[in-house]
Amino acid sequence: MIVSCKAPFSREESLGSLNQFIRVWFEKKYVNPTPPQLYSFKLVKEGKSILITAPTGSGKTFSAFMSILSDLMNMSLEGKLEEKIYCIYVSPLRALNNDVFKNLTEPLEDIYSGISIDIKKITVGIRTGDTKPSERQRQLAHPPNILVTTPESLAIILNSPKFAENMKNVKYVVIDELHELANNKRGVHLSLSIERLVDLVGKELIRVGMGATLHPLDEAARFLVGYRDGKERDCHVVDATWEKKLDFEVICPVKDIINARDEKIENSIYKIINDIIKKNKTTLVFTNTRSGTERVVYNLSKRFGYDEQAIAAHHGSLSRETRLEVEEMLKKGKLKCAVSSTSLELGLDIGSIDNVVQLGSPKSVARAVQRIGRSGHRFNDVARGEVIVTNRDDLVECAVMLDSAIKRHLDSFSTPANAMDVLAQHIVGMSLEKKWKVEDALELVRRAYAYRNLSVHDFDLLIKYLSGLYVGLESRRVYGKIWYDENERAFGKRGKFARLIYYLNLGTIPDEVSIDVLTKDSKWIGSIEEEFLARLKPGDIFVLGGKPYRFEYARIMKCYVSDAAGEIPTIPPWFSEQLPLTYELAINIGKFRSLLSTAMGHSINKNQEVIKKIVKGTLTPDAECRKVLDAMPMDQNSKTSVFNYFAEQLLFAGYVPTDKLVLIETTEDDNDGKNIVVFHSLYGRRVNDALSRIFAIVLAEMYDVDIGININDNGFALFTDENTKIGKNDVSKAIGMLKGIDVENLLKTNIRRTEMMRRRFRYCAARSFMVLRNYKGRKISVRKQQVNSALLLKSVEELGEDFPVLKETYREIFEDVMDLPRAKEIIEGLISGNLSYRIIETKLPSPFSHGVITFGEADVIMMKDRRKHIRELHKRVLSKIGVSKNEIKQKRRNIRRPSGN
């Protein structure tokens, strides 16, 4: 049963539950417990599993550990503390493990310095991929009482017979940064490891989960504690998420974001950042890409004279030593500013941050709260931050995002369900321990939240694959990893190399390399990331080395392109790096659009007076519109830009697309003669990825032509050449044709020969030990892995779509990469009429379509080419709604005129 804790215990109840020595130290150091500690000390003492969600700086670590240390101290005083592991702490980050190790060992030294009697000391050890062999041997001989580790290392030591013996007394499992694990396969992997640990120990564990931004909490609690006999285990939920005050605002760097010169926008952004840095002791700046991080550091240093002792970059492409150096400088308060992509987002101890600046949209409420929450290190401090954006779609998006945070509306996480590749690893691991009855193994697996609904049929197919019973796979050098007796329905270890294969190929993070980009006559151009290649479809246009190229095809680790001079890019260079907008936030943006456009509807009419005011920049919202705009956390520049944006859309198209209205626009691009169909479907990129492919397939079959696709979070655009015009009736017919069609099978046919399918199959095959990454200590190159998986893909397709690895590949694409379930709901809504849609014909793209049409040209910090294109589209929109060319030119001259003239 999941229990929400309504009121904290009293100070005396909380501190009274601690060992006397632990309490004396705590009161000397902190005086009073923080809110999450007032809940947790007593609950953990009583043996309750708990989920703690609280902001950075709220004392979450001690919320989990004070009662555990008290228990171990009591055991020591009673002479019962042995050289055994009693508590396992798991986090997704090695750097965070190092922090926790330090944050436990230093207090323990302090506590023991105040104890005069001779007692056995509580020990702490750290075990990750970085741990030296000598330290591992020492831990084997003298196991620590508290083991700090990662999900991968825990899975390995579970199958180390000698070390596993030292874990049979484990009583507590602490999982940190739960929000970073609950929504991916690393977390699924960990949940199975913990269930295997329960089996090893022979009794239930006390589980403590910690995270800063978790929603929904009941589901997060179920992920933490899992199930027993089909019923959820007990868990107490401690929600102190909103105890910390938030103070933030969306900033538009200039008054007129459309017509301002690029240099003015850029100069204004860096001036704003510099002013913030000067006002604070330490500022943390987040960008959304690594290239953006480097560019910000370079510009701030060049423009304002900061040296490397004052400002530094921190991201995953930098060496571990460099990152540690930056973290240490932050802790000591030596840096004025650190700039990061995502690497400082999690709960690393980086000392006191006064202010956080976010450049561009972080794409989720949870991520915004997580990042801005890095400021105000102490629990009672206010978290302060600014989100600086450079386009009108992001202004709306970020304003709604921060408003949602204020209203305590977080995005939902989603755990991959029944991931067969992760399960394959654990079945092999379990086979190394002992002989298993299939029914007993399935019962254990179903205790994990992600596998609670796993069918007997799917489990049996996985056992069949792992035992080598599929005819034809041995010819592809895929051999059984376990033995299986069909009559006894039992399985166990098979072969002398099974343990070695398990150790050397464990984990959920795929190997990736750079892909060479060549012309069709094999001239080398440069390289791209493998994840970027997986997103490409034939005909997609991207920029490399400053020139546009059209993707033609890929062969293993090479990408072949043709020259696309003069073409508009459809895929931005950072596409594989940027996270998609969450569905819940997209819906909230749609609701805001509806609210503001309704308020504007009665006052925005297509008359010359309104048009002249738009040109002069003097059109102002009436009282009803001001009420909507003033309720949002954004500056005056942002409010003005958003108001004008909506006014132009209403004047030009007559409709503003919302969460309840899908606007479909058939239009054309005068520049290259292409015909365009824009679906204003504000549901996030994952949903639009599926929707765009489905509609492109249907319309392509209707016309027997190739259709290009642009997608972003606000919608998608379908492109045809000048000879193929898709009209209103055609779109309406396409929607009708989807009635009764199995869109999942339609998509399967579409993606079967794509790079996404090939790459994702390799990832799943490697996780399933079908394609080995390491054999007998010899590293298998990614190129060789891809060759092997390409051959295997053809073979397993002949075995049927129920084959576990193939089935998981499709599940990963449709549920993790895309969001097909929600795309289906939207299609059903369009067909049934539960979701409204309007199809309009325009001579040129409406204002709300400019973002999706120019998406491929976008770059987070410098976006000159894209802004130039949007300005041109904007000029043509104004012309269509009745603004003369001279008025537009005058408006631009006014914007560009230096102040004071």
Side-chain angles (χ1 to χ4, degrees), residues 764-782:
C764 294
R767 294 190 197 104
S768 306
F769 298 158
M770 192 178 205
V771 170
L772 298 182
R773 294 182 286 180
N774 198 308
Y775 184 63
K776 297 182 182 180
R778 181 171 59 86
K779 182 80 173 171
I780 309 297
S781 71
V782 177

Side-chain angles (χ1 to χ4, degrees), residues 690-707:
L691 286 175
S692 64
R693 291 169 189 266
I694 291 166
F695 277 101
I697 294 166
V698 173
L699 288 167
E701 287 181 355
M702 285 171 60
Y703 281 92
D704 193 25
V705 293
D706 291 330
I707 291 182

